[in-house]
Amino acid sequence: MSTQPPPQSLPAPDRADLLRDALRAAAFTADGCLDLLGATAYAALSRAETVPALRATRGGSPLESLVRLFLLQQPVPSGLLRDVLPLDAAFEDRWLVRDGDEVRATVDVRPYGGDGGEDWYIVSDLGCAVGGANGIGTTPGVDRADLVLGVGGASTTLAGITVRTPVARALDLGTGSGIQALHASRHATRVTATDLNPRALHFTRLTLALSGAAEPDVRQGSLFEPVGGERYDLIVSNPPFVISPGGRFTYRDGGMAGDDLCRTIVRQAAEHLTEGGHLQLLANWEHIEGEDWRDRVSAWVPAGCDAWIVQREVQDVTRYAELWLRDGGDHLAGPEEYAARYDAWLDAFEQRKTKAVGFGWITVRRTGSERPVINAEEWPHPVEQPLGPHIAAWFGRQDFLRAHDDAALLDERFRLADEVVQEQVGLPGAEDPEHVVLRANRGMRRATRVDTVGAGFAGVCDGTLTAGRILDAIAQLLGEDPVVLRDRTPEAIRLLVEQGFIEPVG
């Protein structure tokens, strides 16, 4: 447990239950705020646009007052809160401060829906909602480099892709405001949260306390340094992955050259995972001139580990620099200062021969296998969230395929996965389709082209017959040699299993 004293300007978590009970009683929850504001104003808040919510909260009701106080960071007359909040305790514990006859919040408290429908709260610095039109804001008396952000698209994406099987020990590496630690608290016996920024550790304690979760084991330090040689069943990280020419902001800039921070996390993961344990992180990686990004990022994966690397988006270096210049508010500086910072980004990219930057997620599982599976792919298409169960199933299928040679594969029984449909593509009126496509409506929502044998095989898979018996029947129907069909079909069956179109029974 960290022995760092809490920052004096931040609330104390010890009596957070009093505030939590009051907030829930007033329906200051994710569903309650959505009902009050409406979908449009609520969505605007996620973009740090507050005008629609201000217009929707002019009535002075308890819920409207709480939205203005904690979400919109507006002063609220103390009379409107006297019967709503435990004001004396909130002032004493520094959740609130007096401003004449009005009350102000010292932190952003954002309602957040838990995995099982819990009413949770994410606590972060004022003005630090992700994606605002003017970039990240400021908190009085706090260096912008030390600001702690709240809920953003990256954090919810990571929460959605995380494997949620029950585990003994989980590690939230670079915890920030504690979002991933909060999720882990539902399925991990013990949660450790680390961060280089001591303010972030305190915010994590606030987030979990206000949400009613057990206090985490918080430790200050960089990367895996705070945990020494300890091992975990699950490691999650939304690290400061931005590839920048410096370390201006702790919450986003890793302080290493290029994408070395993300590479370091992945390469060191095996030393801190139990057998079968997962590392899941969001990452940026460079597209270097003359190199395939798939080979480059795959080379990060340590020996004895399977990995699934998914690139969701790619930006050229100019668009990437502009995105993070805006995030830092540099577009509001003078034109000369903005141009100088822009030049610095492009100089750094030019020196490393970086032509673009990819964004996505990386999942590593320690298996100890001498035949690891590493799959790096580009997938910009919509997926089904939460994706965590499907990611866990993907790794399970790799174990299955690794353990079955072609003969053993043909002795197995399979069933068609849920919500897989067949599409036939061809000219109108044609006797036969040009090709057949299997399309999954779950998970990654993949589509794959199959031949007549593949389509027929998948359609018959109901767990009754072995794959070999099905192929024998198809061979008889098509007038083909069953031995030849058995020899040439296992590769196609492996693809259908690997992509989740068919599932082994039992």
Side-chain angles (χ1 to χ4, degrees):
M1 184 73 64
S2 171
T3 57
Q4 294 283 336
Q8 292 304 306
S9 60
L10 294 179
D14 308 288
R15 294 187 290 178
D17 57 317
L18 298 177
L19 180 58
R20 179 176 65 252
D21 291 345
L23 296 179
R24 289 177 177 173
F28 186 68
T29 62
D31 288 341
C33 290
L34 176 60
D35 290 342
L36 171 69
L37 300 177
T40 301
Y42 198 66
L45 272 182
S46 69
R47 304 189 299 271
E49 299 293 352
T50 59
V51 173
L54 284 169
R55 293 173 59 85
T57 55
R58 293 178 288 194
S61 71
L63 181 54
E64 288 170 320
S65 299
L66 292 176
V67 169
R68 284 186 165 244
L69 181 69
F70 287 117
L71 290 187
L72 307 181
Q73 280 103 57
Q74 298 294 309
V76 174
S78 58
L80 295 178
L81 299 171
R82 188 170 296 113
D83 297 327
V84 180
L85 296 177
L87 287 181
D88 290 341
F91 289 133
E92 185 176 341
D93 293 344
R94 300 187 300 279
W95 292 96
L96 305 175
V97 292
R98 293 182 176 86
D99 186 2
D101 293 332
E102 295 181 316
V103 173
R104 289 185 178 271
T106 60
V107 291
D108 183 301
V109 175
R110 194 155 298 251
Y112 183 73
D115 299 319
E118 302 92 342
D119 291 320
W120 285 344
Y121 299 96
I122 308 301
V123 188
S124 63
D125 269 315
L126 298 173
C128 286
V130 176
N134 292 326
I136 295 303
T138 60
T139 292
V142 180
D143 190 319
R144 291 186 71 197
D146 295 328
L147 292 174
V148 177
L149 274 60
V151 182
S155 52
T156 55
T157 294
L158 179 58
I161 69 171
T162 300
V163 174
R164 297 293 176 198
T165 52
V167 295
R169 304 186 72 200
L171 170 63
D172 181 5
L173 190 74
T175 184
S177 55
I179 299 168
Q180 309 309 322
L182 179 58
H183 280 280
S185 70
R186 290 193 69 247
H187 63 100
T189 303
R190 180 180 179 186
V191 177
T192 300
T194 68
D195 206 287
L196 185 63
N197 184 357
R199 298 185 78 252
L201 298 178
H202 191 73
F203 271 111
T204 294
R205 293 183 65 212
L206 293 174
T207 289
L208 271 70
L210 191 57
S211 299
E215 182 168 343
D217 173 14
V218 295
R219 307 184 193 181
Q220 184 182 353
S222 176
L223 299 181
F224 291 104
E225 180 271 330
V227 300
E230 296 177 33
R231 293 184 182 271
Y232 297 87
D233 307 300
L234 172 68
I235 302 172
V236 289
S237 184
N238 180 15
F241 53 67
V242 176
I243 301 172
S244 60
R248 295 174 61 203
F249 302 112
T250 306
Y251 69 85
R252 75 171 201 193
D253 301 321
M256 295 186 183
D259 50 22
D260 280 356
L261 178 79
C262 294
R263 179 182 61 84
T264 299
I265 293 173
V266 174
R267 289 188 67 84
Q268 294 180 356
E271 302 171 15
H272 300 280
L273 286 173
T274 58
E275 199 71 16
H278 294 83
L279 162 74
Q280 298 191 268
L281 76 155
L282 302 184
N284 275 178
W285 44 77
E286 294 176 297
H287 287 221
I288 303 295
E289 186 176 337
E291 298 183 29
D292 188 317
W293 75 267
R294 297 170 182 82
D295 295 336
R296 187 169 178 276
V297 180
S298 294
W300 296 357
V301 180
C305 293
D306 291 343
W308 187 9
I309 303 159
V310 180
Q311 180 168 274
R312 298 287 287 159
E313 183 181 357
V314 182
Q315 289 186 320
D316 66 63
V317 292
T318 59
R319 290 175 62 86
Y320 186 83
E322 290 162 11
L323 168 67
W324 294 108
L325 286 166
R326 180 171 292 274
D327 172 83
D330 295 303
H331 62 302
L332 302 176
E336 292 184 1
E337 182 179 346
Y338 178 80
R341 291 195 183 280
Y342 201 155
D343 264 334
W345 284 76
L346 298 186
D347 283 345
F349 284 135
E350 185 176 353
Q351 290 169 10
R352 293 192 300 273
K353 298 183 179 181
T354 305
K355 59 182 181 180
V357 177
F359 169 80
W361 60 69
I362 300 174
T363 303
V364 175
R365 188 187 60 161
R366 177 172 171 161
T367 65
S369 172
E370 296 180 357
R371 296 186 294 130
V373 177
I374 301 176
N375 179 39
E377 62 176 320
E378 186 164 9
W379 193 259
H381 314 295
V383 300
E384 178 192 19
Q385 286 281 33
L387 197 63
H390 301 280
I391 291 178
W394 184 89
F395 282 95
R397 294 195 295 270
Q398 307 319 306
D399 289 340
F400 172 84
L401 292 172
R402 189 161 36 215
H404 287 71
D405 60 17
D406 288 353
L409 194 69
L410 294 179
D411 283 339
E412 287 289 336
R413 292 174 169 81
F414 299 92
R415 62 175 291 274
L416 191 67
D418 295 336
E419 297 190 39
V420 173
V421 298
Q422 176 179 306
E423 299 175 357
Q424 296 187 169
V425 181
L427 293 174
E431 184 175 344
D432 296 312
E434 294 179 14
H435 59 265
V436 178
V437 173
L438 296 182
R439 187 178 301 278
N441 292 317
R442 303 294 308 275
M444 296 289 283
R445 295 176 173 155
R446 294 188 185 276
T448 190
R449 190 168 171 172
V450 294
D451 60 13
T452 303
V453 173
F457 179 85
V460 177
C461 284
D462 62 1
T464 303
L465 299 176
T466 66
R469 292 283 303 277
I470 293 174
L471 291 180
D472 291 343
I474 292 174
Q476 184 176 8
L477 184 64
L478 298 178
E480 294 193 25
D481 185 337
V483 175
V484 173
L485 196 60
R486 277 174 172 257
D487 285 344
R488 69 177 174 86
T489 306
E491 182 179 355
I493 295 176
R494 287 184 182 279
L495 179 64
L496 292 176
V497 173
E498 193 274 333
Q499 295 192 344
F501 289 101
I502 58 175
E503 302 168 342
V505 175

